[in-house]
């Protein structure tokens, strides 16, 4: 088999049904941006929408905008939109706070719903903040809960009737490895355990089917594949059947049944609204809504198809053109186990990523040795993959990474 | 004594040393905005600053902006700026999350630092979310803590050595009544109790001296007198002496000593940085910084002087021109006990506020009977006060409030 040429990639772009979306983003010139799994690119709609939010909604309408400009409804409205992207029903998702805070809320709820069980099951390579929040919660509860970390490959055989909640990031942030949400949720259910899924690298990147999978709780991030802007509000999902069973501990006024009654005692709102806490950052929320609105126009099957085609091409080209330079594929080859990114290990990973960025290919680095390339199908083209791998080949072949400046580790991007 | 005329007010504006700041805000025409204690007006600097953050920092620089555009440092940088407004030292304040979330963090810390004590002391008229968060925390801890609410006038005699923390909103959101921060903090200290002050209606409205008062913890709001925009990030203060004593339970990755080491175990950052949790909403944070930057140019003694002059004038004019219409002053007359707002009770308060708004005077209503006027000295003029009271007089004298449409209660503004 001969390796695909750049012309082959250009031909695939010309027949890509999602190609039209690229022009809806601002993208820097002479740069291939493969870090949309860290910060999604800027939708062109954001600028005008935020200008209007600033000038008209804040500047002119001022306080009346809470009702008149829909600020008050934004967490539920944006949540309902996100619900459509992740296989949830209206009223099951709300956009609020950060992913970390939402991990705390949902794990609190899960533990409260399983009062006799002391175990939170996760993996050592889960995204750290998910583990940190569980640790903070356990320490605060002080009632003998344990966070048990087991290898992801073996998670199934650790689920038993001592487990309160299994919490996993659906697509691993380092390797892009994707878990079988339906299978694990079923296994948990059979033992009476709950599941809490972190969709940071799934929402907007591939079809997610929370309800079909029987998931109990989920959280996710607004600033990656949802293209909601830096530090965009996060979201959380609570299956309808769990919503009235528990009132989460971050019981702020916007989660109250009647915030403007100003009662001195907390009464939780009906439904997922009780997972709201304080006042949402409206400007950031509006930017998030622009990103989400664009995704609602996308056929998620086409998105997934292109995502896998891009990552297949990336892997194939690296295996072919960068052979012999010591790169080791860290992402699964099987489609069913891969999200929308490709990662490789290399002892000089840090310096290699520095050299790539200097040469116009922006990915990122995760300690100790991982280089990571996010493939956001709405704005990454097949030729971008071809050009990126060509740059990677040049960085390796010409040892462009071998510079003193690239040996001092910091945060790369 | 004859009542001041409109011309008198205009003369005071002409010699007001803060008059120049009004032109730094966007303000709607034919409107007198007296709700800056709910949502501060729009600083003109925000639009250009956010456009550049969107176009250049997000659009062009993308992920590199976390370092290159100062996003990563923003919570500490903005926190240090706010510190200068509230009498705290550099490294004692951080801009993050919402006020509600920050109440949870600081009360958690206070209880942990006083493990033998079970009492949180507050007042029934504290802002509800402060009470709700304390209730959520107590319920979650499940170790017999109690939230005891006592009349603010008698708070002193309830402070004893069973109290872990006294938590008060420095300036009451309904009446504008201000507590003696130094006196209460001293009384608490003498009993070994801690204090946690909510500065929502103080920061940017009047001089605050946290360190001089010996305060232990504080939280506050970015979107009122700091003019940080709708739902702007909040802030929190932890006195330097308490910073290393405890790691708060919302232990997200940005509060980790080395977030980008991606350890699976949480190690808190040194200093107030451990009170960070998840990724901050950058666009909203940038707007907040614009508001805070403006306040740093203001002489806080002049601000306070004007604030009191405005509220004195408001009270005097209402007493004189609106006499006999059943308004009852709900704010203290004594300067030392009054923040930067004036409130009145009236059985028809809701309808009166509706009529005021229809006639171009925006204040707000708090159940059951309170009409509330925030006096933000940077953009409210003496003639605005005169005109607002004249409109109020007309609403009362001509019974403009007596319309069916104004009887159906909702959120007014």
């Amino acid at each position: 088999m001969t390796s695909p040429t750049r012309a082959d990639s250009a031909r695939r772009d010309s027949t890509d049904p999602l190609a039209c979306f690229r022009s809806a983003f601002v993208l820097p010139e002479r740069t291939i941006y493969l870090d949309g799994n860290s910060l999604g690119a800027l939708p062109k709609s954001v600028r005008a929408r935020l200008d209007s939010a600033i000038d008209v909604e804040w500047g002119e309408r001022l306080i009346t905008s809470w009702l008149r400009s829909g600020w008050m409804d934004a967490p539920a409205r944006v949540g309902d939109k996100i619900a459509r992207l992740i296989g949830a029903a209206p009223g099951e998702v709300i956009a609020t706070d950060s992913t970390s805070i939402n991990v705390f809320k949902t794990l609190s709820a899960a533990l409260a719903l399983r009062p006799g069980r002391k175990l939170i099951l996760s993996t050592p390579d889960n995204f750290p903040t998910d583990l940190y929040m569980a640790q903070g919660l356990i320490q605060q509860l002080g009632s003998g809960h344990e966070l048990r970390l087991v290898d992801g490959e073996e998670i199934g055989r650790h689920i038993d009737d001592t487990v309160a909640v299994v919490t996993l990031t659906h697509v691993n942030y380092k390797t892009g490895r994707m878990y079988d949400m339906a299978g694990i949720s079923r296994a948990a259910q059979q033992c009476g355990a709950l599941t809490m899924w972190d969709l940071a690298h799934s929402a907007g990147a591939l079809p997610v089917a929370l309800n079909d999978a029987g998931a109990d709780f989920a959280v996710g991030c607004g600033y990656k594949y949802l293209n909601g802007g830096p530090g965009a509000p996060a979201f959380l999902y609570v299956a309808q059947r769990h919503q009235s069973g528990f009132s989460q501990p971050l019981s702020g006024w916007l989660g109250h049944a009647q915030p403007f009654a100003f009662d001195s005692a907390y009464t939780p709102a009906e439904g997922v609204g009780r997972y709201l806490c304080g006042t949402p950052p409206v400007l950031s929320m509006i930017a998030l809504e622009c990103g989400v609105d664009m995704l609602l126009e996308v056929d998620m099957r086409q998105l997934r198809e292109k995502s896998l085609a891009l990552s297949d091409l990336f892997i194939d080209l690296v295996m072919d053109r960068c052979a012999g330079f010591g790169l080791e594929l860290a992402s699964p080859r099987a489609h069913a186990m891969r999200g929308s990114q490709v990662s490789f290990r290399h002892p000089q990973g840090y310096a290699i990523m520095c050299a790539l960025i200097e040469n116009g290919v922006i990915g990122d680095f995760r300690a100790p040795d991982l280089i990571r390339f996010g493939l956001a199908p709405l704005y990454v083209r097949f030729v971008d993959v071809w050009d990126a791998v060509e740059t990677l080949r040049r960085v390796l072949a010409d040892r462009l990474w071998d510079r003193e400046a690239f040996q001092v580790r910091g945060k790369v991007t």
Side-chain angles (χ1 to χ4, degrees), chain A residues 360-375:
Chain A
V361 176
I362 299 185
D364 63 18
F365 171 78
R366 288 293 175 258
D369 61 356
L370 208 83
I371 56 175
R372 188 175 85 150
F373 303 94
L375 302 164

Side-chain angles (χ1 to χ4, degrees), chain A residues 79 106 131-132 176 184 189-190 198 264 280 282 291 341 372 388 395 408:
Chain A
T106 51
L131 304 179
Y132 301 162
I184 292 172
Q189 245 166 25
Q190 282 165 359
D198 183 337
S264 61
V282 171
Q341 70 172 63
R372 188 175 85 150
V395 163
V408 184

Side-chain angles (χ1 to χ4, degrees), chain A residues 38 124 138 170 197 200 288 296 311 349 358 365 380 387:
Chain A
S38 197
I138 286 171
H170 183 215
W197 294 94
L288 170 61
L296 291 176
S311 50
E358 192 170 76
F365 171 78
V380 174
D387 292 339

Side-chain angles (χ1 to χ4, degrees), chain A residues 248-257 259 266-268 273-278:
Chain A
Q248 57 89 18
L250 301 178
S251 44
W253 70 310
L254 289 192
H256 193 280
Y266 184 72
T267 308
R274 64 177 59 178
Y275 284 78
L276 286 178
C277 183

Side-chain angles (χ1 to χ4, degrees), chain A residues 81-314:
Chain A
K81 290 179 179 183
I82 293 171
R84 293 159 58 187
L85 301 173
I86 57 177
E92 288 188 318
V93 178
I94 202 146
T96 179
D97 292 321
S98 64
T99 309
S100 302
I101 295 286
N102 292 338
V103 167
F104 191 87
K105 295 174 189 167
T106 51
L107 288 185
S108 291
L111 294 185
L113 290 170
R114 291 295 177 270
R117 300 180 178 208
K118 297 297 184 188
L119 219 51
I120 301 177
L121 196 62
S122 191
T123 61
D125 63 349
N126 196 351
F127 188 73
T129 211
D130 296 56
L131 304 179
Y132 301 162
M133 296 309 289
Q135 290 161 20
L137 174 62
I138 286 171
Q139 192 170 347
Q140 195 185 42
L141 289 173
S143 36
H145 288 90
E146 182 197 337
L147 173 64
R148 186 171 297 167
L149 304 181
V150 301
D151 191 284
E153 304 304 319
E154 302 181 0
I155 194 98
R157 65 181 193 80
H158 290 274
I159 302 175
D160 59 28
D161 62 9
T162 66
V163 174
V165 55
V166 182
T167 183
L168 295 170
T169 296
H170 183 215
V171 172
N172 184 273
Y173 76 107
K174 280 185 172 172
T175 62
R177 187 219 192 280
M178 183 163 67
Y179 286 103
D180 170 13
M181 183 184 285
I184 292 172
S185 296
R186 198 163 45 239
Q189 245 166 25
Q190 282 165 359
C191 298
L194 298 167
T195 50
M196 200 288 270
W197 294 94
D198 183 337
L199 304 178
H201 293 267
S202 317
L206 42 91
V208 178
L210 287 170
N211 278 340
D212 285 353
D216 298 295
F217 296 93
V219 299
C221 175
Y223 55 79
K224 297 179 187 288
Y225 293 99
L226 296 183
N227 307 308
F235 63 88
L236 64 76
Y237 154 89
V238 180
Q240 205 275 328
R241 63 187 174 281
H242 295 309
Q243 287 179 2
S244 54
F246 178 67
S247 159
Q248 57 89 18
L250 301 178
S251 44
W253 70 310
L254 289 192
H256 193 280
Q258 293 185 287
F260 293 95
F262 297 99
D263 288 338
S264 61
Y266 184 72
T267 308
E270 285 303 306
V272 77
R274 64 177 59 178
Y275 284 78
L276 286 178
C277 183
T279 310
V282 171
L283 301 180
S284 289
M285 183 74 83
I286 286 171
L288 170 61
E289 191 165 20
C290 293
V292 171
D293 279 342
M294 195 195 306
L295 272 158
L296 291 176
E297 295 170 23
V298 177
D299 179 327
M300 292 301 280
R301 283 165 313 172
Q302 287 181 344
L303 187 85
R304 176 65 172 158
E305 205 171 300
K306 181 176 175 187
S307 159
L308 288 169
L310 289 168
S311 50
D312 278 344
L313 177 64
F314 203 114

